[in-house]
């Protein structure tokens, strides 16, 4: 279903806010390469992604690091804002062009 949605949205560009939880867990699809690729495709020029995550242990922090590495530093700037409301980490990704 997500693939169909992304296909329909490819011609429109967006700023993105990702804030999806299942209780205290982030759904695994948010970290998959296909999801990241689709987000990049629909992100507008000089647009931003705000990704709200929850860090309850060191493994979750490492998963965020792996997620961030999928964005090329020549095309995106990335900021991590930790300890938001104690357990949240905001990831702000800005497309340079």
């Amino acid at each position: 279903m997500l693939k169909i949605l992304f296909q329909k949205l490819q011609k429109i560009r967006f700023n993105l806010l990702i804030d999806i939880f299942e209780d205290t867990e982030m759904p695994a699809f948010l970290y998959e390469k296909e999801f990241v690729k689709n987000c990049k495709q629909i992100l507008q020029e000089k647009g931003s992604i705000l990704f709200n995550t929850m860090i309850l242990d060191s493994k979750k922090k490492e998963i965020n690091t792996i997620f961030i590495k999928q964005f090329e530093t020549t095309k995106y700037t990335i900021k991590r804002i930790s300890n938001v409301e104690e357990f949240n980490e905001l990831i702000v990704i800005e497309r340079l062009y």
Side-chain angles (χ1 to χ4, degrees):
M1 182 166 154
L2 275 176
K3 188 171 186 168
I4 293 168
L5 176 64
F6 279 116
Q7 287 172 344
K8 289 181 179 181
L9 297 175
Q10 277 183 341
K11 294 182 180 163
I12 306 170
R13 298 290 182 224
F14 296 91
N15 285 308
L16 302 172
L17 170 63
I18 303 169
D19 188 14
I20 303 172
F21 294 92
E22 294 174 359
D23 194 21
T24 59
E25 294 296 315
M26 305 289 297
F29 79 87
L30 296 173
Y31 297 95
E32 293 174 359
K33 289 181 183 184
E34 187 72 18
F35 181 78
V36 172
K37 182 183 108 184
N38 289 328
C39 288
K40 289 178 181 181
Q41 285 178 340
I42 65 170
L43 183 62
Q44 69 182 15
E45 269 186 48
K46 298 185 180 179
S48 300
I49 298 171
L50 175 61
F51 189 18
N52 183 24
T53 68
M54 188 170 285
I55 304 294
L56 297 175
D57 55 42
S58 60
K59 183 179 178 188
K60 302 288 190 218
K61 195 163 189 87
E62 180 59 29
I63 289 170
N64 280 359
T65 299
I66 292 166
F67 172 81
I68 287 169
K69 288 180 181 178
Q70 296 182 73
F71 292 87
E72 305 85 351
T73 56
T74 57
K75 296 180 182 177
Y76 303 91
T77 60
I78 298 148
K79 297 175 190 161
R80 293 174 92 156
I81 305 167
S82 299
N83 302 319
V84 177
E85 295 186 8
E86 193 173 350
F87 296 110
N88 291 64
E89 179 175 64
L90 300 178
I91 301 171
V92 181
I93 301 164
E94 296 176 298
R95 184 174 164 183
L96 298 175
Y97 51 89

